């Protein structure tokens, strides 16, 4: 039989068998697999979208990937010379003496992680600067040359012992980039050495290994160095549960190549329980902000077989696993996402004053979106120069852990009636659903308040299948849809306004194949109405929303207060009266000029604190007439764009820094407000003068002003004029800059008639 005919016959036979099995599945009602499950599955050129979809539902996590998913909430620890230099990326040529660690408390790290509900920690054993935190045989650029314990200290060893004490899994970040090996005269990175057969580990006199395993690889100097250090980490500090690689490179040299397949061989042999991040094990979510996709499929397409690939590109698209994406690939591979971000602004500790820390709301919101969105939450906690987690970080982590336990440690479906396979809290049992749009109904033992619902597919056995689902609650003698979402995967957390109900109904609306559920649970998150904030755009439209934390590093675009308080309502007043449930309900932005706004959030009849703001006259008709000078990207029209994150800044000059505005019409002015920028301390106006003009040419001095303590407290300052005046044109002149600066900066100017 010709080869093409044989292939067509084989394909026809396989499809026929699948059809028979599908009929069998429908008849028996228990069969959910019609082909062998695999971690990676090849697509054939004649695969249709339907056969691709079927294959995708039989791609499952490896044992290590599944364990990584079950870890759910894990810690990153960035620690090294950058902690002491206050840099994010070091140069590689730092004197090891800069790592002036006097004390180290890894027990405190692990206790805090445990309190937060974290199950694993990954430490930067070697960051891009090449400085190592353990007693390596193969370099002197590390703790062995630092003041810590007179060069005898070993950060990794102490952390390993603390992890065992607190039952925290350990992982290591070993940066492929290495600036020390690039920059120093005898460096191995990119030194153009020959690839020859070498034994790993290389023997070092007086430092034998207890583990006698050896490997033979065809490598150059740097890959040998890297493999030797991997051997140390995986044999003397384990067991290791994750090895973390990234693609960040401050600098390259000599077209240095990495032999990851050799790295993988040594990891597989020496750390059989370790998942490898950045390669085929787990993948980056695509941002460092804690942003999550609404739909996070963990079955993703590859052009090459990931089991044999050496280089892996970041997967950063919004759509990573739709059927269209899968059909365009040649291999389907199960690869969970890690949602990584830092609790502080930056990866390394700098200080406890200017470096802001995420709020508990923010961290808990990321937790629910990431762990409850089919990914792993990796949160960085950088130790300070005392070798401990700082107090702010500790408080947020403790509060986050308390919320997780109080919310998800109590299953409100205890004693409920429904499919026992879903309610028995047994990961070994599962429920195979039948029908085009199957339904699961659960009867609660009593009327219960809920606002969270957790559902899991049996991905370990049956892969990811559900593409869309909804949850209904029995309210006022009828079903009410309270939440809807797309895929489920390992875990989906549905968040919705509080309902009191006796029955719940989970509807599977779309599925790639027969759905198989493993677990469901209901929960209640106790929150109180959040603080509110006001914003007014350049069109004069006012919005009111839960206050967003002042965390400027890698913003994720989410409003944690709104996410955690589904069902909250906001009421406001414009006449100075205290707002209540009888006041105007905020539903969309509205036009508002000068005056005082007050607002309050009410959730389940509980009132939050009253927020208030005094807006100046509308800036819709304002125009910039002239200014003394501008710096690039800081135009003068930014000082009246109603955006506090933008600002005008003049060039560096000693005298006569000013801005002139046309207010659009002649108005009476009684006071003004100056808001300095918060992203820079340069240019804050300490003293100044206000001039008025009817024609923009002839000026009258109206008043001088003085603002103090701006650098330490860069908040809006008000100045009431000695007497009100009428004008169309206004000139602000800077006379003295805080901190003896020589440029002027304004985030916003406001003028008031009342």
């Amino acid at each position: 039989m010709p080869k093409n005919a044989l292939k067509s016959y084989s394909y026809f036979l396989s499809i026929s068998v699948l059809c028979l099995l599908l009929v069998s599945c429908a008849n028996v009602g228990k069969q959910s697999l019609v082909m062998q499950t695999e971690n990676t599955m090849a697509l054939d050129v004649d695969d249709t979208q339907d056969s691709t979809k079927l294959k995708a539902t039989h791609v499952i996590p490896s044992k290590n990937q599944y364990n990584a998913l079950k870890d759910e909430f894990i810690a990153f620890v960035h620690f090294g010379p950058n902690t002491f230099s206050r840099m994010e990326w070091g140069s590689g040529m730092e004197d090891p003496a800069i790592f002036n660690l006097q004390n180290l408390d890894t027990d405190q790290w692990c206790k805090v992680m445990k309190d937060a509900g974290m199950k694993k920690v990954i430490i930067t054993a070697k960051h891009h600067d090449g400085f190592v935190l353990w007693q390596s045989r193969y370099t002197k650029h590390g703790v062995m040359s630092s003041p810590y314990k007179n060069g005898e200290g070993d950060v990794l060893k102490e952390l390993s012992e603390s992890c065992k004490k607190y039952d925290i899994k350990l992982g290591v970040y070993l940066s492929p980039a290495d600036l020390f090996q690039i920059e120093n005269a005898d460096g191995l990175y990119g030194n153009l050495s020959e690839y020859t057969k070498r034994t790993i580990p290389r023997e070092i006199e007086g430092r034998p290994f207890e583990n006698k395993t050896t490997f033979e690889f065809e490598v150059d100097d740097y890959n040998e160095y890297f493999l030797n250090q991997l051997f140390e980490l995986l044999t003397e500090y384990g067991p290791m549960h994750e090895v973390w690689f990234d693609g960040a490179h401050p600098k390259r040299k000599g077209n240095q190549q990495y032999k990851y397949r050799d790295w993988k061989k040594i990891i597989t042999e020496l750390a059989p329980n370790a998942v490898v991040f950045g390669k085929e094990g787990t993948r980056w979510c695509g941002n460092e902000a804690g942003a999550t996709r609404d739909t996070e499929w963990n079955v993703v397409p590859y052009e090459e077989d990931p089991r044999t690939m050496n280089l892996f590109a970041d997967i950063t698209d919004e759509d990573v696993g739709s059927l269209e994406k899968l059909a365009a690939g040649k291999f389907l591979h199960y690869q969970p996402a890690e949602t990584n971000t830092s609790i502080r602004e930056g990866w390394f500790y700098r200080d406890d004053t200017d470096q802001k820390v995420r709020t508990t709301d923010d961290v808990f919101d990321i937790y629910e979106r990431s762990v409850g969105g089919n990914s792993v939450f990796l949160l960085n906690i950088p130790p300070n120069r005392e070798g401990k987690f700082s107090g702010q970080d500790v408080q947020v982590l403790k509060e986050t852990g308390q919320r997780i336990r109080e919310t998800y440690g109590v299953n409100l479906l205890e004693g409920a009636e429904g499919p026992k396979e879903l309610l028995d809290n047994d990961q070994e049992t599962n429920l195979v659903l039948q029908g085009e749009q199957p339904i699961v109904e659960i009867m609660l033992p009593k009327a219960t308040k809920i606002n969270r619902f957790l559902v899991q597919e049996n991905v370990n056995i049956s892969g990811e299948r559900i593409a869309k689902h909804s949850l209904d609650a029995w309210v006022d003698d009828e079903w009410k849809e309270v939440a809807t979402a797309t895929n489920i995967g390992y875990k989906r957390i549905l968040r919705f306004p509080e309902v009191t109900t006796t029955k719940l109904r989970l509807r599977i609306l779309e599925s790639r194949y027969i759905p198989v559920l493993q677990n469901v649970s209901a929960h209640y998150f106790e929150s109180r109405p959040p603080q509110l904030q006001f914003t007014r755009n350049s069109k004069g439209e006012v919005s009111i929303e839960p206050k967003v934390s002042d965390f400027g590093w890698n913003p994720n675009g989410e409003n944690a207060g709104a996410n955690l308080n589904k069902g909250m309502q906001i009421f406001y007043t414009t006449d100075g009266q205290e707002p209540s449930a009888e006041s105007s309900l905020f539903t969309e932005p509205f036009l508002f000029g000068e005056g005082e706004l007050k607002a309050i959030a009410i959730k389940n009849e509980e009132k939050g604190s009253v927020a208030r703001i005094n807006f100046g006259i509308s800036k819709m008709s304002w125009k910039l007439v002239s200014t003394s000078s501008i710096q690039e990207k800081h135009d003068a029209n930014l000082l009246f764009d109603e955006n506090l994150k933008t600002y005008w800044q003049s060039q560096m000059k000693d005298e006569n820094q000013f801005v002139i505005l046309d207010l659009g019409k002649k108005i009476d002015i009684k006071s003004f407000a100056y808001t300095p920028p918060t992203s820079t301390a340069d240019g804050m106006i300490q003293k100044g003068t206000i001039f008025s003009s009817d024609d923009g040419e002839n000026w009258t001095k109206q008043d001088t002003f003085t603002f103090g303590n701006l650098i330490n407290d860069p908040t809006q300052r008000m100045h009431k004029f000695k007497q009100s005046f009428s004008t169309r044109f206004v000139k602000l002149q800077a006379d003295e800059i805080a901190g003896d600066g020589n440029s002027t900066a304004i985030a916003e100017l406001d003028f008031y008639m009342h």
Side-chain angles (χ1 to χ4, degrees):
M1 184 180 291
K3 183 176 181 181
N4 289 341
L6 179 61
K7 182 175 181 181
S8 298
Y9 175 75
S10 299
Y11 183 74
F12 173 78
L13 181 61
S14 64
I15 292 297
S16 299
V17 170
L18 286 179
C19 290
L20 289 172
L21 286 170
L22 287 171
V23 172
S24 172
C25 290
N27 290 337
V28 176
K30 293 294 182 183
Q31 177 69 29
S32 65
L33 300 175
V34 294
M35 63 176 65
Q36 183 71 35
T37 56
E38 298 180 45
N39 187 236
T40 305
M41 194 175 293
L43 291 176
D44 301 321
V45 292
D46 43 10
D47 266 317
T48 64
Q49 189 175 77
D50 284 343
S51 62
T52 298
K53 179 166 63 173
L54 189 63
K55 283 185 173 181
T57 63
H58 289 71
V59 175
I60 65 172
S62 67
K63 176 176 69 73
N64 292 353
Q65 288 174 328
Y66 188 55
N67 286 335
L69 280 167
K70 290 194 294 182
D71 288 335
E72 297 189 350
F73 186 22
I74 62 178
F76 218 166
V77 169
H78 278 65
F79 195 44
N82 295 348
T83 307
F84 295 86
S85 68
R86 296 171 172 81
M87 301 289 289
E88 278 294 284
W89 279 9
S91 68
M93 296 308 289
E94 291 87 359
D95 185 338
I98 196 174
F99 190 71
N100 189 25
L101 184 63
Q102 301 299 316
N103 301 291
L104 179 65
D105 192 349
T106 54
D107 272 4
Q108 185 243 15
W109 300 3
C110 288
K111 184 181 185 305
V112 171
M113 294 174 204
K114 197 75 173 179
D115 289 343
M118 294 169 153
K119 298 176 183 174
K120 181 167 61 183
V121 56
I122 299 158
I123 187 171
T124 54
K126 184 190 79 168
H127 201 247
H128 311 323
D129 50 39
F131 184 96
V132 302
L133 293 179
W134 77 98
Q135 290 288 334
S136 176
R137 297 163 175 79
Y138 304 100
T139 184
K140 291 299 181 184
H141 190 64
V143 288
M144 68 288 294
S145 301
S146 79
Y148 184 51
K149 295 187 176 179
N150 297 316
E152 299 296 321
D154 192 322
V155 175
L156 193 57
K157 181 178 180 181
E158 292 188 50
L159 178 58
S160 176
E161 292 171 351
S162 295
C163 283
K164 293 170 185 175
K165 179 177 178 179
Y166 286 90
D167 193 25
I168 300 284
K169 295 179 181 178
L170 179 62
V172 287
Y173 170 115
L174 190 67
S175 174
D178 194 316
L179 286 166
F180 177 74
Q181 294 297 334
I182 288 176
E183 301 290 2
N184 86 83
D186 299 320
L188 305 176
Y189 189 106
N191 67 353
L192 304 179
S193 55
E194 293 185 17
Y195 282 77
T196 58
K197 184 173 290 187
R198 312 188 191 194
T199 300
I200 304 297
R202 179 162 50 86
E203 293 184 4
I204 300 295
E205 186 176 353
R207 294 281 305 275
F209 285 97
E210 185 176 331
N211 188 310
K212 301 304 179 184
T213 307
T214 59
F215 300 85
E216 295 289 330
F217 294 115
E218 193 89 13
V219 289
D220 65 352
D221 288 350
Y222 184 70
N223 277 286
E224 179 195 6
Y225 173 74
F226 198 88
L227 287 164
N228 281 327
Q229 292 194 325
L230 260 182
F231 190 94
E232 289 181 311
L233 295 175
L234 301 182
T235 59
E236 298 186 325
Y237 298 92
M240 290 294 171
H241 291 272
E242 184 158 352
V243 180
W244 214 93
F245 299 127
D246 67 3
H249 279 82
K251 188 175 182 179
R252 289 184 182 271
K253 177 184 175 183
N255 194 31
Q256 177 67 57
Q257 302 297 309
Y258 303 139
K259 296 196 68 178
Y260 167 65
R261 306 320 303 175
D262 294 344
W263 303 0
K264 180 185 178 182
K265 184 175 181 180
I266 201 171
I267 294 169
T268 302
E269 175 72 21
L270 299 177
N273 295 321
V275 67
V276 180
F277 173 88
K279 303 300 180 182
E280 72 269 38
T282 51
R283 60 187 165 88
W284 184 40
C285 69
N287 66 86
E288 296 179 344
T292 50
R293 298 178 177 90
D294 291 336
T295 303
E296 188 72 75
W297 292 103
N298 283 333
V299 177
V300 295
Y302 273 90
E303 281 296 304
E304 302 175 55
D305 189 339
R307 294 168 294 189
T308 60
M309 285 170 55
N310 191 60
L311 299 175
F312 289 77
D314 291 329
I315 301 174
T316 59
D317 293 344
E318 181 62 28
D319 175 7
V320 301
S322 68
L323 292 177
E324 291 73 20
K325 284 279 188 179
L326 298 183
K330 296 179 180 178
F331 292 86
L332 305 181
H333 179 62
Y334 197 95
Q335 191 175 21
E338 279 187 10
T339 300
N340 68 324
T341 192
S342 182
I343 197 170
R344 285 179 165 259
E345 292 182 326
W347 292 106
F348 287 89
Y349 175 88
R350 293 195 302 277
D351 55 59
D352 280 329
T353 53
D354 296 332
Q355 189 181 27
K356 296 182 179 67
V357 177
R358 290 188 185 275
T359 64
T360 303
D361 274 358
D362 199 11
V363 175
F364 186 64
D365 176 52
I366 299 172
Y367 170 86
E368 290 194 310
R369 286 189 287 105
S370 56
V371 175
N374 200 29
S375 74
V376 179
F377 182 17
L378 173 61
L379 180 65
N380 179 61
I381 318 160
N384 59 27
R385 288 179 284 279
E386 299 299 318
K388 301 177 72 172
F389 292 159
S390 286
Q392 283 182 279
D393 309 50
V394 171
Q395 185 65 28
V396 169
L397 290 166
K398 284 185 176 179
E399 290 174 356
T400 300
Q402 183 177 355
R403 287 189 184 185
I404 293 171
R405 289 187 295 275
E406 289 177 351
T407 304
Y408 296 101
V410 179
N411 182 5
L412 299 175
L413 297 186
E414 289 287 342
E417 295 179 13
K420 65 180 189 315
E421 299 93 336
L422 300 183
L423 301 173
D424 59 6
N425 199 29
D426 185 349
Q427 293 187 351
E428 300 303 317
T429 60
N430 57 78
L431 179 66
V432 180
L433 302 178
Q434 295 296 328
E436 186 174 342
Q437 289 191 341
I439 292 174
V440 175
E441 284 194 25
I442 299 168
M443 177 74 74
L444 281 71
K446 61 180 181 180
T448 306
K449 289 191 306 183
I450 66 169
N451 56 18
R452 300 289 190 273
F453 189 80
L454 185 153
V455 56
Q456 295 181 272
E457 288 186 86
N458 192 17
V459 296
N460 190 37
I461 303 298
S462 308
E464 298 182 348
R465 301 185 171 195
I466 295 170
K468 187 176 181 181
H469 62 292
S470 288
L471 179 70
D472 303 328
W474 188 255
V475 179
D476 296 331
D477 295 325
E478 63 179 358
W479 288 111
K480 175 185 178 183
E481 182 177 284
V482 295
T484 186
T486 55
N487 69 320
I488 292 176
Y490 166 73
K491 182 176 285 189
R492 170 72 77 166
I493 294 174
L494 300 173
R495 305 188 289 188
F496 45 89
E498 173 189 313
V499 294
T500 298
T501 186
T502 56
K503 288 193 294 185
L504 294 169
R505 182 173 71 177
L506 179 66
R507 291 180 288 126
I508 309 304
L509 304 177
E510 295 177 20
S511 187
R512 291 180 172 181
Y513 190 50
I514 300 171
V516 184
L517 295 179
Q518 181 188 80
N519 177 58
V520 295
S521 56
H523 308 273
Y524 184 75
F525 169 59
E526 185 73 51
S527 65
R528 70 180 309 275
Q531 289 183 297
L532 300 176
Q533 67 180 23
F534 304 87
T535 56
R536 188 170 68 176
N537 63 23
S538 58
K539 298 178 181 179
E541 297 172 330
V542 172
S543 293
I544 314 172
E545 62 182 354
K547 189 173 183 179
V548 177
S549 64
D550 187 17
F551 189 87
W553 181 77
N554 284 342
N556 57 38
E558 297 282 346
N559 186 311
N563 290 342
L564 298 178
N565 290 278
K566 303 291 185 181
M568 167 199 66
Q569 291 182 307
I570 296 174
F571 298 90
Y572 68 94
T573 61
T574 60
D575 58 4
Q577 298 295 314
E578 292 299 295
S580 68
E582 307 302 319
S583 304
S584 299
L585 175 66
F586 175 75
T587 56
E588 60 183 3
F590 59 93
L591 285 173
F592 186 74
E594 184 194 10
E596 185 180 38
L597 272 180
K598 294 182 180 180
I600 191 171
I602 300 179
K603 181 180 179 185
N604 303 325
E605 300 184 355
E606 182 182 359
K607 296 181 180 180
S609 58
V610 175
R612 65 194 71 211
I613 191 171
N614 191 17
F615 279 113
I617 61 175
S618 173
K619 305 175 186 178
M620 292 176 59
S621 59
W622 289 19
K623 292 180 181 178
L624 173 69
V625 177
S626 64
T627 183
S628 52
S629 63
I630 59 170
Q631 288 191 28
E632 186 179 1
K633 298 181 180 180
H634 296 294
D635 292 340
N637 57 9
L638 298 177
L639 66 83
F640 57 93
D641 65 349
E642 298 282 17
N643 184 351
L644 296 179
K645 294 182 179 179
T646 62
Y647 59 94
W648 163 61
Q649 188 161 24
S650 70
Q651 293 181 8
M652 300 294 183
K653 293 183 178 180
D654 293 329
E655 298 178 355
N656 198 28
Q657 297 178 41
F658 67 88
V659 62
I660 298 175
L661 300 175
D662 178 358
L663 303 181
K665 62 180 181 180
K666 196 170 184 179
I667 60 174
D668 293 327
I669 296 177
K670 288 190 174 182
S671 59
F672 92 102
Y674 163 65
T675 304
T678 56
S679 58
T680 178
D682 184 26
M684 296 183 179
I685 306 174
Q686 191 163 279
K687 292 183 179 181
T689 306
I690 297 290
F691 299 86
S692 67
S693 172
D694 291 337
D695 57 11
E697 295 182 5
N698 300 293
W699 295 96
T700 300
K701 178 180 176 180
Q702 292 293 344
D703 206 353
T704 60
F705 60 88
T706 301
F707 300 134
N709 197 32
L710 284 164
I711 293 177
N712 294 324
D713 182 23
T715 55
Q716 186 188 72
R717 303 303 170 87
M718 296 285 297
H719 176 81
K720 187 176 181 179
F721 296 117
K722 295 174 183 176
Q723 59 182 23
S724 61
F725 57 91
S726 181
T727 188
R728 172 167 176 168
F729 296 89
V730 176
K731 176 181 178 181
L732 184 149
Q733 175 181 292
D735 299 326
E736 184 177 304
I737 304 302
D740 295 325
N742 57 8
S743 73
T744 300
I746 303 175
E748 285 293 315
L749 276 185
D750 288 275
F751 291 93
Y752 301 86
M753 298 170 59
H754 301 97

